[in-house]
Amino acid sequence: MTDMGRAVLDRIIERTEQLALRPASHPLPPEATSELVESFLAPPPARGGDLKALLERLDDAADCALESAGPGSLAYIPGSGLFSSALAEFYNRATNRYGGVAMAAPVLAALEESVIRWIAEDVCGLPAGSGGLLTSGGSMAAFSATVAARHDRLGEDLATGTVYTTAFAHHSVAKAARLAGIRAAHVRLVPHTPDLRMDAAAAAEAIRADRAAGLRPFLLVATAGTTDTGTVDPLPELADLARREDLWFHIDAAYGGFFRLTARGRERLAGFEHADSITLDPHKTLFMPFGTGALVVRDIEVLHAAHGGTGNYLQDVNDGGSVPDSAHLGPELTHEIRGLRAWLPLHLHGTDAFRESLDEKLDLAEHAHAVLSAIPELEVPAHPDLSTVIFRIRPADGTRAAADRADEASRRLLERINAHRRIVLSSTVVEGRHTLRVCIVSHRTHRDRIDEALEIIATETAGVASGE
Ligand SMILES: *Cc1c(COP(=O)(O)O)cnc(C)c1O
């Protein structure tokens, strides 16, 4: 065991030390990638192999990837993977305690509950009686939130239930509604104001019109940090609207939620206190490994009512006392003690370490916004609410043809930037325009890499503009 453990640990430490030097994206040509893919599709052998040889194969597999743990990871919403969290998870997997019901490991269940209470009460400002569930990610959190809202507000008659969100909502919102049995045509995309936030007056109008037409509006989903632009919807106004109209108010803060640890974040994300449920993703802005999401709800009883279930084979399972059984708060029964991978880093580093790192990301985004705004060939349409900065090639004039040419140039710009392999950016569509985004979330991304990124962007913008 010692030799095996050491072999794995040595490799991981070496890889982690090399992260800043490693290419930010796939260093292999496509043929070599296909060969590796083919070789890994093979079934397992009847007789076992050698650990060192297998680890070497694993390294090849892990190398052929976006370097999502490294400082150049600025595409999508990066998840950086804390080393201390990985160690916690090794301990977790090796002890293999059962995380479905509290009775099976009551103290570890309390450990997990402490993480959930911290998120619900300290981070989100929900009152006593709140609680929640650690999920595998934001999509599962959205699913359980939608099921709870549906159960609480619609009962079993789903046919006329309607949901309100915006075009900037993550696709998991519509997917959760579909999985929860809500008609696709009953997911309303409320118009947004020019600053890309949900238009609360338009939402009120849509709810009134639907109600007049005999539908049953039951769920309002705001986004606190959209995936495209990091924009925060007007939460206090929308909370008021939901209360007035008796809708369940869900905030999708998968990306933005943990910025509430910072003073600026708490200001920009005011209104969480009024939510019925909130999604947060520790695997994004708490730097945990992938597979770590969270759902917190104002009233834990409602989540329980929507997800509780039992069977004869569970008759020996007593109530866990003060700590709820996670199996009755979501779709999964058997799962690991998910809280451990958050508990160890939070206790080892302290919450200040996370706050300082998130503050640094807000500073880096301000800096990137200022530098990009000064490049005349670029259009930088929004000031960042959080740590995402968007930009695109500025069209020569206001015609559609010029916008199309600028979109094409933005596409080329992204390719040229990513070809450096020092950073990876991604693109999206904002107001019909091809738009590049820099999303700064990794705990390993600091000023040096952002300055390098900005230099690459400036150089390649000049290149695209001069038609080189
Ligand atoms: C990432 C994200 C999600 C989806 O979360 P997963 O963890 O990828 O399932 C939902 N909403 C927003 C705003 C996100 O950024």
Side-chain angles (χ1 to χ4, degrees):
M1 277 157 54
T2 305
D3 285 351
M4 285 163 69
R6 202 158 277 154
V8 174
L9 188 60
D10 284 350
R11 263 165 200 277
I12 289 172
I13 290 175
E14 193 187 316
R15 292 185 71 89
T16 307
E17 283 175 344
Q18 299 279 317
L19 274 176
L21 304 171
R22 296 168 56 82
S25 57
H26 315 271
L28 292 182
E31 317 80 66
T33 302
S34 309
E35 250 173 60
L36 265 178
V37 168
E38 283 306 314
S39 75
F40 272 85
L41 286 172
R47 288 170 168 278
D50 170 66
L51 178 65
K52 290 239 158 81
L54 290 170
L55 286 174
E56 265 163 42
R57 288 191 66 207
L58 271 186
D59 269 346
D60 289 342
D63 284 346
C64 182
L66 294 176
E67 185 44 271
S68 37
S73 177
L74 306 171
Y76 310 104
I77 298 188
S80 38
L82 271 179
F83 181 70
S84 55
S85 199
L87 287 180
E89 203 49 23
F90 180 49
Y91 181 94
N92 198 20
R93 300 298 176 159
T95 51
N96 200 38
R97 292 297 180 259
Y98 191 84
V101 292
M103 168 254 201
V107 185
L108 290 173
L111 168 157
E112 178 158 305
E113 179 67 5
S114 77
V115 172
I116 291 163
R117 284 190 193 171
W118 173 71
I119 297 174
E121 297 176 16
D122 296 62
V123 178
C124 294
L126 292 176
S130 61
L133 178 72
L134 294 179
T135 64
S136 57
S139 300
M140 284 303 286
F143 174 55
S144 280
T146 307
V147 168
R150 181 199 79 186
H151 187 81
D152 190 52
R153 303 302 163 98
L154 296 181
E156 297 199 336
D157 176 13
L158 314 185
T160 52
T162 51
V163 179
Y164 303 82
T165 191
T166 70
F168 290 106
H170 192 271
H171 76 272
S172 57
V173 172
K175 186 174 175 179
R178 188 170 80 236
L179 294 174
I182 304 303
R183 292 187 179 173
H186 288 177
V187 177
R188 304 272 181 255
L189 300 185
V190 174
H192 51 82
T193 46
D195 57 358
L196 312 179
R197 302 175 206 281
M198 190 190 289
D199 183 336
E205 190 43 48
I207 291 166
R208 268 195 296 274
D210 282 341
R211 201 165 265 140
L215 298 176
R216 291 164 79 204
F218 78 100
L219 172 62
L220 177 62
V221 181
T223 310
T226 59
T227 311
D228 285 334
T229 63
T231 305
V232 180
D233 281 335
L235 305 177
E237 263 180 274
L238 295 172
D240 273 353
L241 172 65
R243 192 172 44 234
R244 272 200 319 276
E245 295 288 340
D246 197 28
L247 266 61
W248 180 284
F249 184 41
H250 179 73
I251 300 178
D252 179 359
Y255 158 43
F258 288 107
F259 281 102
R260 275 178 59 98
L261 289 170
T262 70
R264 279 172 288 180
R266 211 158 260 254
E267 233 168 77
R268 293 172 198 173
L269 299 162
F272 275 40
E273 314 73 49
H274 307 301
D276 290 299
S277 56
I278 307 168
T279 296
L280 300 96
D281 256 347
H283 66 202
K284 289 171 178 162
T285 28
L286 273 191
F287 325 124
M288 306 280 155
F290 293 133
T292 319
L295 170 66
V296 291
V297 296
R298 167 171 299 277
D299 183 354
I300 193 70
E301 295 304 329
V302 180
L303 193 60
H304 188 276
H307 292 89
T310 191
N312 294 338
Y313 41 82
L314 291 177
Q315 67 180 2
D316 306 327
V317 176
N318 334 317
D319 191 327
S322 57
V323 176
D325 294 334
S326 60
H328 299 310
L329 301 175
E332 297 171 289
L333 173 59
T334 298
H335 61 88
E336 75 282 20
I337 306 276
R338 217 163 254 158
L340 194 43
R341 68 181 79 135
W343 181 89
L344 185 71
L346 286 168
H347 283 256
L348 180 67
H349 309 302
T351 56
D352 280 355
F354 291 88
R355 179 174 48 72
E356 282 158 21
S357 188
L358 289 169
D359 252 329
E360 181 196 22
K361 306 314 149 204
L362 293 174
D363 290 339
L364 292 173
E366 288 284 348
H367 171 62
H369 178 262
V371 171
L372 294 176
S373 298
I375 301 177
E377 294 89 354
L378 292 181
E379 203 171 49
V380 183
H383 188 273
D385 281 352
L386 300 173
S387 65
T388 302
V389 184
I390 57 169
F391 64 97
R392 57 198 176 214
I393 296 287
R394 185 184 293 286
D397 54 51
T399 61
R400 185 64 244 179
D404 288 346
R405 278 197 303 279
D407 282 354
E408 196 39 52
S410 293
R411 256 180 226 114
R412 285 201 304 281
L413 177 59
L414 180 64
E415 269 172 32
R416 294 173 67 136
I417 291 168
N418 287 347
H420 287 253
R421 295 201 165 136
R422 290 292 294 163
I423 53 170
V424 184
L425 306 188
S426 60
S427 72
T428 186
V429 177
V430 176
E431 308 271 57
R433 296 286 315 285
H434 196 91
T435 303
L436 277 54
R437 48 194 289 296
V438 179
C439 184
I440 309 166
V441 172
S442 170
H443 66 288
R444 297 195 177 97
T445 303
H446 305 295
R447 178 68 183 251
D448 58 337
R449 187 62 61 114
I450 293 302
D451 279 338
E452 193 181 344
L454 293 168
E455 260 168 51
I456 291 172
I457 295 169
T459 306
E460 295 307 336
T461 301
V464 167
S466 67
E468 259 172 34

Coordinates of all heavy atoms in Angstrom, one line a residue, residues 77 136-140 170 172 223 225-227 252 254-255 281 283-284, ligand 1:
I77 N -16.4 28.1 -17.3 CA -16.2 28.5 -15.9 C -15.2 27.5 -15.3 O -15.6 26.4 -15.0 CB -17.5 28.6 -15.1 CG1 -18.4 29.6 -15.8 CG2 -17.3 28.9 -13.6 CD1 -19.6 30.0 -15.1
S136 N -23.8 16.6 -7.1 CA -22.7 16.4 -8.0 C -22.4 17.6 -8.8 O -21.3 17.7 -9.5 CB -22.9 15.2 -8.9 OG -24.1 15.4 -9.6
G137 N -23.3 18.6 -8.8 CA -23.0 19.8 -9.5 C -24.2 20.7 -9.6 O -25.3 20.4 -9.0
G138 N -24.1 21.8 -10.3 CA -25.2 22.8 -10.4 C -26.4 22.3 -11.1 O -27.6 22.6 -10.8
S139 N -26.2 21.4 -12.1 CA -27.4 20.9 -12.8 C -28.3 20.1 -11.9 O -29.5 20.2 -12.0 CB -26.9 20.1 -14.0 OG -26.1 20.8 -14.9
M140 N -27.7 19.2 -11.1 CA -28.5 18.4 -10.2 C -29.1 19.3 -9.1 O -30.2 19.0 -8.7 CB -27.6 17.3 -9.5 CG -27.2 16.2 -10.4 SD -28.7 15.3 -11.0 CE -29.2 14.4 -9.6
H170 N -28.6 29.5 -17.5 CA -27.9 28.3 -17.9 C -28.9 27.3 -18.5 O -30.0 27.3 -18.0 CB -27.2 27.7 -16.7 CG -26.2 26.7 -17.0 ND1 -26.5 25.3 -17.0 CD2 -24.9 26.7 -17.3 CE1 -25.5 24.6 -17.3 NE2 -24.4 25.4 -17.5
S172 N -29.2 24.4 -17.9 CA -29.7 23.4 -16.9 C -31.1 23.8 -16.3 O -31.8 23.0 -15.7 CB -28.7 23.2 -15.8 OG -28.4 24.5 -15.2
T223 N -30.5 34.5 -12.2 CA -29.1 34.1 -12.2 C -28.2 35.1 -11.6 O -28.3 36.3 -11.8 CB -28.7 33.9 -13.7 OG1 -29.7 33.1 -14.4 CG2 -27.3 33.2 -13.8
G225 N -24.7 35.7 -11.6 CA -23.5 35.4 -12.3 C -23.8 34.5 -13.5 O -23.7 33.3 -13.4
T226 N -24.2 35.1 -14.6 CA -24.6 34.3 -15.8 C -23.3 33.7 -16.3 O -22.2 34.2 -16.2 CB -25.3 35.1 -16.9 OG1 -24.4 36.2 -17.3 CG2 -26.6 35.7 -16.4
T227 N -23.5 32.5 -17.0 CA -22.3 31.8 -17.5 C -21.7 32.6 -18.6 O -20.5 32.7 -18.8 CB -22.8 30.4 -18.0 OG1 -23.6 29.8 -17.0 CG2 -21.7 29.6 -18.4
D252 N -29.9 30.9 -9.3 CA -28.8 30.1 -9.9 C -27.5 30.8 -9.7 O -27.2 31.7 -10.4 CB -29.1 29.7 -11.3 CG -27.9 28.9 -11.9 OD1 -27.0 28.6 -11.1 OD2 -28.0 28.5 -13.1
A254 N -24.6 29.2 -9.3 CA -23.6 28.1 -9.5 C -22.2 28.7 -9.6 O -21.2 28.3 -9.0 CB -23.9 27.2 -10.7
Y255 N -22.1 29.8 -10.4 CA -20.9 30.4 -10.6 C -20.6 31.5 -9.6 O -19.6 31.6 -8.9 CB -20.8 31.0 -12.0 CG -19.9 32.1 -12.3 CD1 -18.5 32.1 -11.8 CD2 -20.2 33.2 -13.1 CE1 -17.7 33.2 -12.1 CE2 -19.4 34.3 -13.4 CZ -18.1 34.2 -12.8 OH -17.2 35.3 -13.1
D281 N -21.9 26.2 -6.8 CA -21.0 25.1 -7.2 C -19.6 25.3 -6.5 O -18.8 26.0 -7.0 CB -20.8 25.2 -8.7 CG -21.6 24.1 -9.5 OD1 -22.1 23.2 -8.8 OD2 -21.7 24.2 -10.7
H283 N -17.4 23.3 -6.9 CA -16.4 22.9 -7.9 C -16.0 24.0 -8.9 O -15.2 23.8 -9.8 CB -16.7 21.6 -8.6 CG -17.9 21.5 -9.5 ND1 -18.5 20.3 -9.8 CD2 -18.6 22.5 -10.2 CE1 -19.5 20.6 -10.6 NE2 -19.6 21.9 -10.9
K284 N -16.7 25.2 -8.8 CA -16.2 26.4 -9.5 C -15.5 27.3 -8.5 O -14.3 27.3 -8.4 CB -17.4 27.0 -10.2 CG -18.0 26.2 -11.3 CD -19.3 26.8 -11.8 CE -19.8 25.9 -13.0 NZ -21.2 26.2 -13.3
Ligands
LIG1 C1 -21.9 25.8 -14.4 C2 -23.3 26.3 -14.2 C3 -24.4 25.5 -14.1 C4 -24.3 24.0 -14.2 O1 -23.6 23.5 -13.2 P1 -22.9 22.1 -13.4 O2 -22.1 22.0 -12.1 O3 -22.0 22.2 -14.6 O4 -23.9 21.0 -13.5 C5 -25.6 26.1 -13.9 N1 -25.7 27.5 -13.8 C6 -24.7 28.3 -13.9 C7 -24.9 29.8 -13.9 C8 -23.4 27.8 -14.2 O5 -22.4 28.6 -14.3

